[in-house]
Amino acid sequence: MVIGGDAAGMSAASQARRLKGPDELEIIAFERSTFTSYSACGIPYWVSGDVAGPDDLIARTPEEHRERDIDLRMRTEVTEVDVAGQRVRAVDRESGDTYWTGFDKLVIATGARPVRPELPGIDAPGVHGVQTLGDGQALLDSLDHAAGRRAVVVGAGYIGVEMAEAMLKRGFEVTVLNRGEQPMATLDPDMGKLVHDAMDGLGITTVNGASVTKILTGPDGRVSEVATEERTYPADVVVLGIGVEPEAELAREAGLTVGPHGGILTDLAMRAVGHENIWAGGDCVEVLDLVAGRSRHIALGTHANKHGQVIGSNVGGGYGTFPGVVGTAVSKVCDLEIARTGLREKDAQAVGLRYVTATIESTQRAGYYPGAKPMTVKMIAELRTGRLLGVQIVGREGAAKRVDVAAVALTAGMTVEQMTALDLGYAPPFSPVWDPILVAARKTVAAVRGAGS
Ligand SMILES: Cc1cc2nc3c(=O)[nH]c(=O)nc-3n(C[C@H](O)[C@H](O)[C@H](O)COP(=O)(O)OP(=O)(O)OC[C@H]3O[C@@H](n4cnc5c(N)ncnc54)[C@H](O)[C@@H]3O)c2cc1C
């Protein structure tokens, strides 16, 4: 039995079905919304007009799941889990019918819910989240009713900056209100500053240190302004991108263990700790940060799909483990690519690691090759040992996915000195003869040695 019919839940169901046929394993999945197996990650590109959507964002329809003998019950919400009795209570949102049904094995994949502060005016027409395909459609419909072309995006994390791009492409004048020191708080502020400057260059106004206090409406009841402690910003549409928190209430109420960040705690096999027959995965769980050695909540589709695969393997009688993450994420705002993996300076400080940093400027192609554009790489390594701790990249086309090399190095526990000898590919259209990652590693080695002496 699966609760939650998106990335983690339906990956688990599909993988279990691959391993066991319907005569061996009955699979029931509950999804409270009208969508299943879709890519929320594609919403910003649907809103921008880069992808047609929303059909393009649906990986598998309910009918396709049912053809594979998965009893997917749409618009049906699980409202209670009775762990001891091995049963759940479900409510059919169409008919209102409520029923209990039993399970041998339970998968909780309830995702995350967007943070929506209780501000005056937050529910006014013209204020939109972008968590679901329904939200995406509502935002697009709302753009048709907007009296003017001024958009305010609240939040400057990756969803905020992606939505800033989307609104810019829709012809809006965009202001991003960011509570933090710089946009992209998943980067150190010095790298976030590069994002800020680039957004300025794109014509996106970013206001740092801006805490929204209320949303004002016009005579028609629609959003008209967004107020911060300092001033107000005119707005014909508002997009909220202020982060998410684990949707783990159901699990908590059922007595499952929840971690310091509010996510369900699991073991290596993605089993809810202390429960033989209950698994949990995706945005509703916490993951082990392999670099810092502590639990974190990171809501990313890349993890949710892997969790589902692991859970489905285990539920289906196979074998799978998910050891943890190194914290890799990529994003973009127009042609600016942003990437990070591992620890920021403040993460290293929080776990008591002493470190050095090095920042280099390079290009993603040989400097003489057409289209060569600047990119900045910041590398963090542990003092004395030289162990790689983190990498952040800001650059243009071809910059972001270079972070994957660093993600592998982190996973392997490599030192920056070992990284300098990595046999990375080179030809002028793809990189300078010294790849920017290698240049950064060399400079970080020098910093480690310098600090040592
Ligand atoms: C705009 C946007 C852009 C993103 N971009 C990226 C990206 O570029 N890269 C990336 O890695 N990730 C990205 N993500 C994150 C990614 O979409 C999520 O991490 C992923 O969808 C999590 O999958 P999940 O299955 O854990 O949860 P969800 O996708 O949230 O699915 C959980 C499902 O459970 C259902 N549910 C919850 N409670 C119940 C209940 N009690 N009964 C029945 N059903 C229930 C919900 O309706 C929901 O459909 C993005 C997210 C957004 C919103």
Side-chain angles (χ1 to χ4, degrees), residues 158-395:
Y158 80 92
I159 292 181
V161 303
E162 288 175 6
M163 289 311 301
E165 166 182 342
M167 299 312 290
L168 196 68
K169 287 189 169 163
R170 284 277 168 189
F172 279 74
E173 191 186 299
V174 185
T175 302
V176 178
L177 300 180
N178 170 38
R179 203 164 53 174
E181 188 181 339
Q182 292 293 345
M184 294 303 294
T186 49
L187 305 178
D188 286 320
D190 52 342
M191 295 296 281
K193 167 93 172 56
L194 301 179
V195 178
H196 189 169
D197 294 348
M199 285 169 71
D200 266 356
L202 291 164
I204 299 169
T205 306
T206 310
V207 186
N208 293 326
S211 270
V212 173
T213 51
K214 65 178 159 188
I215 291 169
L216 306 164
T217 51
D220 57 355
R222 225 186 119 85
V223 60
S224 60
E225 285 173 298
V226 179
T228 65
E229 274 148 13
E230 284 76 35
R231 53 163 286 189
T232 59
Y233 297 86
D236 301 298
V237 66
V238 173
V239 181
L240 303 174
I242 7 189
V244 295
E245 47 198 36
E247 181 80 87
E249 223 29 56
L250 196 62
R252 189 202 294 269
E253 282 167 7
L256 268 57
T257 309
V258 166
H261 308 286
I264 303 166
L265 293 185
T266 68
D267 65 13
L268 257 184
M270 300 306 299
R271 251 189 201 93
V273 290
H275 294 273
E276 261 309 293
N277 61 345
I278 303 179
W279 286 259
D283 286 0
C284 63
V285 303
E286 293 188 11
V287 288
L288 177 64
D289 180 328
L290 296 169
V291 188
R294 58 182 185 169
S295 186
R296 290 178 63 188
H297 179 244
I298 304 178
L300 282 177
T302 173
H303 304 163
N305 280 286
K306 291 182 189 114
H307 292 168
Q309 175 83 13
V310 166
I311 293 170
S313 298
N314 292 324
V315 167
Y319 174 78
T321 56
F322 185 86
V325 303
V326 292
T328 311
V330 291
S331 183
K332 82 175 189 71
V333 49
C334 297
D335 66 344
L336 185 80
E337 298 190 356
I338 306 157
R340 54 100 62 224
T341 190
L343 308 186
R344 298 164 298 179
E345 289 194 49
K346 78 171 182 189
D347 302 319
Q349 288 157 14
V351 289
L353 287 167
R354 297 174 67 214
Y355 61 89
V356 293
T357 71
T359 301
I360 64 105
E361 303 285 336
S362 182
T363 50
Q364 92 288 26
R365 298 176 183 158
Y368 57 81
Y369 192 86
K373 299 263 171 63
M375 65 182 274
T376 306
V377 181
K378 176 172 181 177
M379 199 169 269
I380 307 180
E382 191 178 21
L383 206 66
R384 292 172 66 95
T385 67
R387 175 172 66 112
L388 178 69
L389 294 179
V391 169
Q392 297 162 36
I393 301 174
V394 175

Side-chain angles (χ1 to χ4, degrees), residues 3-9 30-33 35 38 40-41 43-44 76-78 109-112 130-131 158-159 162 247 250 281-284 299-302 304 330:
I3 310 174
D6 195 26
F30 294 105
E31 170 52 50
R32 67 182 173 193
S33 77
F35 297 103
Y38 67 91
C41 316
I43 293 173
T76 308
E77 179 167 7
V78 172
T110 44
V130 282
Q131 188 71 11
Y158 80 92
I159 292 181
E162 288 175 6
E247 181 80 87
L250 196 62
D283 286 0
C284 63
L300 282 177
T302 173
V330 291

